Amino acid sequence: MPYIKDVLIDVITDVNMSESSTTTDHALEDGEQVTDHVKSDPITITLNGVILDNTEEKVLKLREYREKGIVINYDYMTELKHVVITNFGRDYAANIKNGFAFSLTLKQIQTAKVAKYVPVKLKKQTKPVTSKGRQQSKKTQKSNSNETRKKYTNTRSPQRRVVSNGWELTE
């Protein structure tokens, strides 16, 4: 008899297992399609069956597993590890005495692995602080604004005056 964790399922009438993939498609200029990536989707199993129990104990446990996302293993006709209940529905019918029909969907998940923290001692990369006593500060030289100005000098030779016929000429 099949179990969902510790809940006994009396009768499973239908099992539907779905495996699919998602592709990334891109259109080219000439109208062709190019697929450059394929990703496998999680496997899902849909179970339909009957639980014969006039108490709500099994229903409450299955509801708890779904609400809390408890990871379980499924092993009936096929084996899947790390599955969670994503959907649980029940149907009370007149033809089932002291029980109910149900529909249950299980989805396989992947859990992340937690890396172990290993403390590593690192060497200090700085020198320890030491006292150097009293230090004299260095005086900075003040700049004189007169010295920074450009001095314009006349590089031409002095002009000579030539007197001729009463006219004064400069060369």
Side-chain angles (χ1 to χ4, degrees), residues 55-99:
T55 65
E56 292 287 314
E57 181 181 341
K58 292 180 180 181
V59 173
L60 293 175
K61 279 191 175 185
L62 291 173
R63 183 182 297 153
E64 178 186 2
Y65 297 158
R66 183 191 56 79
E67 288 175 352
K68 291 184 178 179
I70 294 176
V71 179
I72 57 178
N73 294 329
Y74 173 75
D75 188 13
Y76 179 73
M77 299 175 84
T78 185
E79 181 181 1
L80 279 180
K81 295 187 183 279
H82 303 289
V83 295
V84 292
I85 299 172
T86 58
N87 187 15
F88 176 68
R90 53 191 167 153
D91 183 25
Y92 294 100
N95 60 353
I96 302 173
K97 184 178 179 183
N98 296 331

Side-chain angles (χ1 to χ4, degrees), residues 131-138:
S131 175
K132 292 186 176 183
R134 292 179 62 163
Q135 302 287 316
Q136 287 192 1
S137 61
K138 295 180 181 178

Side-chain angles (χ1 to χ4, degrees), residues 15-156:
V15 177
N16 182 5
M17 186 172 188
S18 174
E19 298 182 41
S20 64
S21 296
T22 304
T23 61
T24 305
D25 300 323
H26 300 284
L28 297 177
E29 292 176 3
D30 61 355
E32 294 288 323
Q33 288 277 7
V34 174
T35 302
D36 64 351
H37 186 72
V38 177
K39 179 186 83 159
S40 293
D41 295 331
I43 298 172
T44 58
I45 294 180
T46 303
L47 305 173
N48 294 316
V50 176
I51 294 178
L52 300 173
D53 192 4
N54 54 359
T55 65
E56 292 287 314
E57 181 181 341
K58 292 180 180 181
V59 173
L60 293 175
K61 279 191 175 185
L62 291 173
R63 183 182 297 153
E64 178 186 2
Y65 297 158
R66 183 191 56 79
E67 288 175 352
K68 291 184 178 179
I70 294 176
V71 179
I72 57 178
N73 294 329
Y74 173 75
D75 188 13
Y76 179 73
M77 299 175 84
T78 185
E79 181 181 1
L80 279 180
K81 295 187 183 279
H82 303 289
V83 295
V84 292
I85 299 172
T86 58
N87 187 15
F88 176 68
R90 53 191 167 153
D91 183 25
Y92 294 100
N95 60 353
I96 302 173
K97 184 178 179 183
N98 296 331
F100 56 90
F102 73 92
S103 174
L104 182 76
T105 304
L106 302 171
K107 182 176 183 179
Q108 189 175 33
I109 62 169
Q110 291 183 357
T111 55
K113 295 178 183 174
V114 178
K116 292 183 180 179
Y117 173 72
V118 180
V120 177
K121 287 196 167 190
L122 299 175
K123 292 182 181 178
K124 290 185 179 179
Q125 296 181 355
T126 59
K127 293 182 180 179
V129 178
T130 58
S131 175
K132 292 186 176 183
R134 292 179 62 163
Q135 302 287 316
Q136 287 192 1
S137 61
K138 295 180 181 178
K139 292 185 179 179
T140 58
Q141 192 176 34
K142 290 184 179 179
S143 63
N144 190 352
S145 61
N146 291 337
E147 292 176 5
T148 58
R149 291 184 188 162
K150 289 187 176 179
K151 294 181 181 179
Y152 295 101
T153 58
N154 190 356
T155 57
R156 293 175 55 190

